């Protein structure tokens, strides 16, 4: 048993992963499924950590920031100033974050990194460009100067990126943190990320949103090609939000709800049935709740005026 500074009131025990018992469990730090050999399990409540995530340091120096960053293991309860958002990949997250504590440093937009961006080493090889190593580029690309094109999403990079040491290849943090394998529908064989195919004559369809899928872009598939899914349908904007997390958003209480495959609600704003694994329930000031909001945009548009 260990006592961990992130969960001080209970002891954690190191356990072996069991497919039947543990497949629904998510790590509190990175919000990804456990699925690893050894993980920490709270002996009294539903609190789980990957072994890697439990061993993260309290403080570290990171290439992207001048000041030391300190781990914050607590979910955000009031969402303002983008404080759910990672400064590198721009995904919102309920998980641990590394934050700058220097007073006066980026007060409007605090610098913070989520665990999946922290785990990208300063020099590493990405499977989409296995021939050369990449490094963390220190140049910041703003809207006026996004000449660098990400080879994942094929868009101009906003913010920081990862650059090949030997050629022009560049990739944004959002694309670099899409996992190369992902579990889907309780299948024990994970889907793998395909980095685009050329010369395909067949039409591919996404199994989740049922729209056409461009095979020259990244997508998830299995070896037999029976399943093809847009990577953003399986690993989307809100993949690091944890179901059950509640927070205040412009004075409204918002709860993250997991989207069961049988009962996907229709979003009250855009009227789509979201394929995402999560949606948001908004508790209105008059006591009513609006269910099924698919995004922060739809929360704002559909339930109250900004
Ligand atoms: Zn983790
Ligand atoms: Zn506990
Ligand atoms: Zn990130
Ligand atoms: Zn700072
Ligand atoms: Zn990208
Ligand atoms: Zn290269
Ligand atoms: Zn799709
Ligand atoms: Zn919507």
């Amino acid at each position: 048993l260990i006592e961990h500074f992130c969960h001080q009131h209970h002891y954690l025990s190191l356990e072996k992963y069991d497919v039947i018992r543990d497949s629904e469990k998510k790590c509190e730090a990175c919000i990804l499924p456990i699925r690893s050999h050894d993980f920490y399990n709270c002996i009294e409540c539903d609190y789980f950590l990957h072994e890697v995530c439990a061993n993260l340091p309290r403080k570290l120096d990171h290439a992207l920031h001048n000041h030391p960053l300190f781990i914050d293991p607590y979910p955000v309860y009031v969402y303002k100033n983008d404080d759910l958002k990672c400064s590198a990949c721009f995904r919102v997250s309920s998980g641990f974050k590394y934050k700058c504590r220097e007073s006066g440093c980026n007060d409007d937009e605090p610098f913070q990194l989520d665990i999946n961006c922290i785990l990208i080493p300063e020099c590493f090889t990405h499977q989409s460009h296995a021939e050369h190593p990449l490094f963390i580029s220190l140049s910041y690309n703003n809207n006026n100067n996004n000449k660098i094109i990400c080879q994942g999403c094929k868009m101009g990079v906003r913010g920081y990126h990862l650059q090949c040491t030997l050629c022009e290849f560049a990739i944004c943090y959002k694309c670099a943190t899409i996992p190369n394998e992902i579990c889907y529908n309780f299948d024990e064989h994970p889907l793998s990320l395909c980095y685009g195919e050329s010369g395909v004559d067949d039409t591919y369809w996404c199994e989740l949103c049922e729209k056409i899928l461009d095979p020259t872009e990244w997508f998830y598939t299995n070896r037999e090609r029976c399943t093809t899914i847009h990577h953003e349908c399986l690993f989307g904007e809100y993949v690091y939000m944890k179901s059950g997390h509640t927070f205040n958003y412009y004075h409204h209480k918002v709860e993250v709800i997991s989207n069961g495959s049988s009962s996907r609600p229709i979003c009250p704003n855009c009227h789509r049935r979201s394929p995402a694994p999560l949606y948001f329930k908004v508790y209105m000031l008059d006591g009513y709740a609006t269910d099924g909001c698919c995004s922060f945009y739809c929360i704002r548009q559909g339930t109250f005026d900004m």
Side-chain angles (χ1 to χ4, degrees):
L1 294 185
I2 62 155
E3 205 180 67
H4 196 277
F5 65 92
C6 297
H7 193 64
Q8 282 167 338
H9 51 296
H10 295 148
Y11 288 106
L12 307 181
S13 75
L14 192 61
E15 295 193 7
K16 293 245 172 294
Y17 178 76
D18 176 304
V19 183
I20 311 281
R21 184 193 58 186
D22 302 324
S23 64
E24 297 278 276
K25 293 179 178 168
K26 288 189 169 179
C27 172
E28 292 286 327
C30 67
I31 319 291
L32 296 183
I34 290 292
R35 299 218 168 249
S36 61
H37 295 300
D38 294 315
F39 70 101
Y40 284 100
N41 199 344
C42 176
I43 58 170
E44 289 181 58
C45 72
D46 287 339
Y47 190 96
F48 317 106
L49 288 173
H50 290 118
E51 199 181 9
V52 180
C53 295
N55 288 323
L56 288 163
R58 286 182 196 225
K59 176 189 165 190
L60 54 76
D61 291 312
H62 194 274
L64 291 182
H65 201 69
N66 292 334
H67 307 128
L69 303 179
F70 295 84
I71 201 164
D72 178 357
Y74 304 107
V76 167
Y77 293 111
V78 178
Y79 182 28
K80 57 174 169 46
N81 296 342
D82 281 346
D83 48 11
L84 284 173
K85 221 177 238 179
C86 171
S87 303
C89 69
F90 304 114
R91 285 192 185 94
V92 288
S93 160
S94 309
F96 294 8
K97 289 171 198 75
Y98 277 92
K99 296 182 174 173
C100 173
R101 283 192 195 159
E102 196 80 8
S103 67
C105 174
N106 300 334
D107 280 339
D108 300 336
E109 208 181 309
F111 186 85
Q112 56 180 9
L113 295 174
D114 61 33
I115 300 308
N116 299 293
C117 287
I118 280 286
L119 291 174
I120 293 183
E122 265 180 63
C123 189
F124 74 109
T125 305
H126 192 268
Q127 290 209 0
S128 69
H129 189 66
E131 57 268 45
H132 303 143
L134 310 183
F135 69 97
I136 298 175
S137 166
L138 302 186
S139 69
Y140 188 86
N141 307 283
N142 56 36
N143 289 338
N144 311 320
N145 131 48
N146 55 353
K147 298 286 179 295
I148 292 163
I149 304 296
C150 168
Q151 294 304 310
C153 56
K154 309 283 191 295
M155 295 203 277
V157 171
R158 191 166 63 95
Y160 297 105
H161 73 281
L162 303 143
Q163 177 67 48
C164 179
T165 46
L166 297 168
C167 73
E168 301 278 278
F169 180 92
I171 187 172
C172 73
Y173 264 88
K174 190 170 238 166
C175 289
T177 45
I178 300 171
N180 53 28
E181 283 194 336
I182 201 164
C183 291
Y184 172 63
N185 261 356
F186 308 105
D187 189 344
E188 59 179 307
H189 304 290
L191 300 181
S192 50
L193 186 59
C194 170
Y195 300 102
E197 291 176 343
S198 51
V200 181
D201 292 329
D202 295 347
T203 304
Y204 288 0
W205 296 88
C206 172
E207 184 169 311
L208 274 174
C209 68
E210 296 170 354
K211 293 190 181 121
I212 206 157
L213 184 151
D214 178 352
T216 65
E217 291 178 3
W218 293 13
F219 61 95
Y220 279 109
T221 184
N222 57 8
R223 222 173 285 124
E224 299 76 31
R225 292 286 188 275
C226 321
T227 305
T228 50
I229 301 182
H230 293 122
H231 67 79
E232 59 273 42
C233 285
L234 211 47
F235 198 83
E237 196 78 12
Y238 300 113
V239 67
Y240 299 150
M241 293 302 287
K242 192 163 185 282
S243 67
H245 181 189
T246 56
F247 52 91
N248 273 359
Y249 186 54
Y250 294 99
H251 309 295
H252 291 69
K253 188 180 148 208
V254 176
E255 184 177 1
V256 183
I257 313 262
S258 96
N259 202 357
S261 47
S262 52
S263 62
R264 294 191 160 157
I266 292 171
C267 175
N269 182 55
C270 65
H271 308 293
R272 290 185 309 132
R273 222 180 266 281
S274 171
L278 299 165
Y279 62 86
F280 301 100
K281 184 169 182 174
V282 185
Y283 296 87
M284 310 302 288
L285 297 175
D286 57 12
Y288 287 95
T290 304
D291 223 345
C293 294
C294 73
S295 63
F296 284 114
Y297 174 81
C298 286
I299 292 176
R300 294 192 303 268
Q301 298 294 315
T303 63
F304 52 91
D305 289 321
M306 285 269 302

